[in-house]
């Protein structure tokens, strides 16, 4: 079945630093790819998505490009803020429809 | 627009007791999901409903877990009897329909601790 592997955390950065969270996937075909974010005490929220190869999803300064050559969907942000501190999950649909398989999550902590 | 509502937010029970969680999806959303998120792991799908019918319950431990979605709106997830390893956050999500590109909206979850 489809699966994702994402880098382990926690990741600790200073404010305004560059962020990369790696995500690679194994899938049948070319499913949509997602990044979800979970802020402290809140539910999961969709951060961005890409629906086909070479698509770039973007939102709130975050970007991720769907790369089929490397089966990757790395999350990047040029300048992180303290408010970006959260847990980030890479995900993809599995078994048809939009049932999601999630990675283990990467905790990001941004300090002043 | 109101989001996905879940209750309770927190629950502590002893092993072998029973517990139930409630979910009210976003109005008009036909598809409803229950996920289990164990500490340090990503959410794992337990069951998916389309309206009031089960689409996928292959990962639901049916000897102790049950779920229903009467009238195709609210849903309840029950555990009976609970085990220590059931300690987790139980997330409910809903989407307009079950297509691959349809966004799923998540509730805040119910944190269950089994002691």
């Amino acid at each position: 079945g489809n699966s994702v592997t994402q880098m382990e955390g926690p990741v600790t950065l200073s404010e305004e630093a560059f962020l990369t969270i790696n995500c690679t996937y194994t899938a049948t075909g070319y499913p949509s790819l997602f990044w979800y974010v979970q802020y402290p005490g809140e539910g999961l929220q969709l951060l961005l998505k890409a629906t086909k190869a070479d698509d770039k999803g973007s939102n709130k300064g975050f970007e991720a490009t769907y790369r089929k050559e490397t089966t990757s969907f790395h999350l990047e942000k040029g300048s992180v803020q303290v408010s970006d501190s959260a847990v980030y999950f890479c995900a993809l649909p599995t078994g048809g429809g939009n049932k999601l398989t999630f990675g283990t999550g990467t905790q990001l902590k941004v300090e002043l | 627009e109101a989001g996905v509502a879940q209750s309770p937010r927190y629950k502590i029970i002893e092993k072998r007791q029973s517990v139930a969680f409630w979910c009210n999806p976003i109005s008009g959303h036909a598809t409803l999901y229950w996920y289990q998120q164990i500490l340090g792991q990503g959410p794992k799908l337990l069951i998916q409903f389309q309206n009031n019918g089960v689409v996928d319950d292959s990962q639901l431990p049916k000897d102790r877990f049950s779920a229903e979605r009467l009238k195709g709106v609210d849903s309840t997830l029950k555990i009976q009897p609970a085990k220590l390893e059931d300690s987790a956050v139980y997330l409910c999500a809903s989407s307009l329909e079950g297509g691959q590109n349809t966004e799923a909206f998540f509730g805040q979850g119910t944190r269950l601790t089994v002691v």
Side-chain angles (χ1 to χ4, degrees):
Chain A
N2 294 353
S3 65
V4 291
T5 302
Q6 61 181 105
M7 65 185 285
E8 293 188 12
V11 174
T12 302
L13 296 174
S14 298
E15 202 170 43
E16 299 184 1
F18 184 85
L19 168 71
T20 300
I21 299 177
N22 290 338
C23 171
T24 57
Y25 66 89
T26 302
T28 302
Y30 301 103
S32 298
L33 299 174
F34 304 88
W35 277 101
Y36 277 81
V37 59
Q38 190 171 36
Y39 297 103
E42 298 185 16
L44 287 165
Q45 302 174 25
L46 179 64
L47 179 60
L48 55 83
K49 70 178 182 182
T51 59
K52 60 183 187 293
D54 300 325
D55 257 5
K56 178 185 287 188
S58 61
N59 185 27
K60 299 181 180 180
F62 290 89
E63 294 182 340
T65 300
Y66 190 158
R67 300 201 184 280
K68 66 177 182 179
E69 301 84 3
T70 53
T71 61
S72 65
F73 192 55
H74 304 324
L75 183 68
E76 297 181 335
K77 186 174 186 181
S79 176
V80 293
Q81 306 299 311
V82 171
S83 57
D84 294 325
S85 298
V87 182
Y88 293 82
F89 293 91
C90 187
L92 79 171
T94 187
N98 64 345
K99 296 172 291 187
L100 295 171
T101 292
F102 288 88
T104 54
T106 302
Q107 183 173 10
L108 170 65
K109 182 178 180 181
V110 181
E111 300 174 330
L112 290 171
Chain B
E1 171 179 273
V4 176
Q6 290 189 247
S7 67
R9 287 294 311 277
Y10 305 93
K11 190 74 177 179
I12 300 174
I13 62 172
E14 295 182 349
K15 59 183 179 183
R16 292 188 289 275
Q17 285 188 322
S18 63
V19 64
F21 313 126
W22 173 82
C23 173
N24 178 234
I26 293 173
S27 178
H29 280 197
T31 308
L32 185 147
Y33 314 81
W34 284 100
Y35 286 84
Q36 179 193 57
Q37 185 178 13
I38 293 172
L39 186 64
Q41 300 181 20
K44 183 187 78 173
L45 180 73
L46 291 175
I47 189 167
Q48 177 185 357
F49 292 93
Q50 182 73 17
N51 296 308
N52 61 349
V54 175
V55 174
D56 184 353
D57 63 357
S58 58
Q59 299 302 307
L60 188 72
K62 299 181 188 62
D63 58 333
R64 298 183 301 106
F65 286 65
S66 64
E68 61 182 8
R69 191 184 183 198
L70 298 177
K71 302 180 182 178
V73 182
D74 292 3
S75 177
T76 55
L77 176 69
K78 296 179 182 177
I79 307 175
Q80 182 179 5
K83 293 185 176 181
L84 295 176
E85 59 261 36
D86 298 331
S87 294
V89 176
Y90 290 85
L91 297 167
C92 180
S94 70
S95 61
L96 270 175
E97 45 89 28
Q100 190 184 99
N101 296 326
T102 307
E103 181 178 352
F105 295 83
F106 285 79
Q108 290 183 297
T110 296
R111 181 177 298 277
L112 173 68
T113 302
V114 182
V115 297

